[in-house]
Amino acid sequence: MTPMFFNQFDSNIAMVNEDERQNFHRDASRLRKRLQISSRDKEVVEDDGTVGQWSISDPRISCRNVDVNYGDKQAIKKVNLDIGRNEVLSFIGPSGCGKSTLLRCLNRMNDTIPGCRVSGEIKLDDEDVYLKHIDVVPLRAKVGMVFQKPNPFPKSIFENVAYGPRIHGLTATKDGLAEVVESSLRRAGLWEEVKDYLDHPGTSLSGGQQQRLCIARTIAVNPEVILMDEPCSALDPIATAKIEQLIDELREQYTIVIVTHSMQQAARVSQRTAYFHLGKLIEVGETASVFTQPIHKLTDDYISGRFG
Amino acid sequence: MSRGVAMEKLTDGHIIRRYDGELDNLRLIALEMGGLVINLLGDALNAFKTQDLDLAHKVVAMDNQVDELEVKADQEIANIIAKRCPVSSDLRMVMAVSKSVSDLERIGDEAVRIAGLAIQAIGNEASDPNSQMLRDVNRIGSMAMSGLRSAVEIFDIWDEEKALQVIENHNDMEEEFQADLRHLITYILEDYRNIGFAISVVLVIKSLERVGHHAQNLAEYVVFQVSGEDIRSDQPS
C-alpha cells in the first residue's frame, strides 16, 4: 500500500536533485568566469587613460586631447570627455587636480589668464570654441557660469538680471525685459522672495539668495550650458538644498557642469561623475555606479576618504 | 583581486582614523555573532545526539545573546550610515554586514529549534534514539558545521575564491539532505515504531539544511563586498 507512494516520492527527489546539480555546476563556472573578468578590469586600470564611459552619443560638448598649461606647468593632460544634453555632470577631485581649469576652458574663461595655453579640441554643438574667429561674448552667453562666491553686480536686483538680456539685445521693449526678469527669477526660485524688492540692491540679499540671483542672471540670456564652480561652498545646508533642487529643475532645459568639493553633493545632483587626479581625468561614469562600484583605485580611495 | 589587497582595503586607510575603527568594530560584532552561533549549533547538535537536557536548555538561553548582538550591529550600522555616508567598498561592507547579521540570527534560531527538538525527544518514550538515524544527523550536521565555519572564516579574511567554494559545497549538502530523507523513509518502512524519532530527525536535518543555506548567503555577501557583484540571482535556489 504505502510503498508505492514512497517510491514515487523517492524518485522525484532524485530527479530534482540531478537537475539542480547540473545547473549549479554550469552556473558556478560561469560565475567564476564573470568574477575573474571583473577583477581583471580592476588591475588594468592602474595605468594611464580614462576608465568608464567618457564618450557618449550626441554630446553637447566634446573635449578631445585637451592639454592646458600655465607657463611651464601642465595643469591638464590629454583629457577626453563628452558632456551630454540635459544632464548634470559633476567634476570631483582633490584641490589642484585641474577640474576648475577644465571647467573654465569650456567658455574660455582662461583666455584672460596670462601664460595659459589650451590645446586640443573643445567643441560646443560641433563647433570648436577655440577657433580664431569665435567671439567670446556670445560664447559666454551660450555657456554661462556661476561662481563659488555669489557676485551680484552693485546694482538693483532687477538690473542684475536685466543687464545680460539688454547688452545681448534679446528684448527690445521695456515690458519684454520685465518679462525676462520675472521668468528668470521664477526659474531660479527667487521670484516670490524678491518680487516686492526689485529695486533693492542685489547685495542686500542673503548669500543663498545672491547665489540664486546669479543663477537667474545666467539663465536670463538663454544659455545652453551652465557651468558652476563650487556654487554652494559658501552657503548653509538649507540654501544648498535650494540650489540643488534648482539644479535638478534646470537640468530639463540646460546642460549643467558642476565642480564640487562635496562628494555627497556630486552624488545627489549629478547623473554622471568625472574624477580628476593630478591633471588627468581618471574615471567617468554613471554617478550611482561611481559611488557604489568605482572602477579605478584612485577614485575609490578619494571617494571613500582614504590616503591617496 | 588578491587576498592581501582585499584585506588591506577592508577597513583601513581612511583619513579619519575613527572611521577605520568603527568599520572594524562592526566587522568584529559580526564575527562575534558568527562565533557564538557556531557554538550554539554545535551544542544543540550534541544535546540532540547525547540527549543532554541541560545542554539543550543552555542553548535556548544563549540565543538572547545572539539577538542582542544583532541589535547592537544594527545600531552601529545606522550610526555609520548617518555619520560617515559610506561609499564604494565601505558601503558594500556595511550592507554585507547588515545582511549577514540577520542570517546569523536565523542560524541561532535554527540551533534553538534543534535544542527544542532535543528537549521534546528526551521526555518522549516513543522517540527512542536510533543509532542509524543519528549517523545521518551526524553526517549532515558536520557538513552544516563546516559550511558555517568556513562562511564565518571568509567573513574574517574576505576571500572571494573561498566564498565561491562555500557556495559550491552547499550543493553537496543539498544532496546529503535529500539522501538522508530517503534513508529515513527506509527506516520507517522497516519498523513503524521508528516514526516518532524519525520525525524529530527530519526536523533536525531540515534545520541543518537551512543553516547551510544561510551559510551560503553569508558567502554571497562576501563575494558582493569584494567584487561588487551581486550573484544571488545567478544561483539556483
Side-chain angles (χ1 to χ4, degrees), chain A residues 2-3 6 9-10 13-14 16-17 20-21 23-25 27-32 34-36 38-39 42-43 264 290-294 297 300-301 303-308, chain B residues 1 9-16 19 85 87-92 160-161 164-165 167-168 171 174-175 178 181-182 185 189 223 226-231 234-237:
Chain A
T2 37
F6 278 127
F9 181 50
D10 198 292
I13 291 172
V16 169
N17 198 19
E20 259 190 11
R21 196 173 52 201
N23 263 338
F24 182 80
H25 285 313
D27 277 359
S29 66
R30 193 160 55 89
L31 259 181
R32 277 224 164 70
R34 207 176 95 189
L35 292 172
Q36 266 160 16
S38 70
S39 45
K42 280 185 183 131
E43 278 153 32
Q264 291 310 314
V290 168
F291 283 93
T292 53
Q293 303 173 35
K297 188 172 182 307
D300 198 342
D301 286 350
I303 62 170
S304 52
R306 290 183 154 88
F307 303 117
Chain B
M1 186 182 286
K9 274 173 69 84
L10 188 64
T11 55
D12 284 353
H14 293 97
I15 297 165
I16 300 171
Y19 186 13
C85 298
V87 293
S88 183
S89 57
D90 300 332
L91 175 63
R92 298 201 302 270
E160 202 175 341
E161 187 52 39
L164 285 173
Q165 199 66 52
I167 294 169
E168 263 177 345
N171 204 53
E174 282 292 322
E175 285 173 23
Q178 303 291 355
L181 283 183
R182 288 196 291 274
I185 290 163
L189 288 177
V223 173
V226 176
S227 70
E229 299 259 358
D230 193 331
I231 58 169
D234 290 19
Q235 301 295 316
S237 56

Side-chain angles (χ1 to χ4, degrees), chain B residues 154-190:
Chain B
I154 53 167
F155 221 83
D156 192 15
I157 59 176
W158 302 86
D159 185 294
E160 202 175 341
E161 187 52 39
K162 286 206 172 138
L164 285 173
Q165 199 66 52
V166 171
I167 294 169
E168 263 177 345
N169 288 346
H170 175 64
N171 204 53
D172 296 342
M173 208 177 132
E174 282 292 322
E175 285 173 23
E176 178 66 27
F177 174 65
Q178 303 291 355
D180 287 347
L181 283 183
R182 288 196 291 274
H183 293 164
L184 286 170
I185 290 163
T186 58
Y187 298 143
I188 295 166
L189 288 177
E190 274 169 18

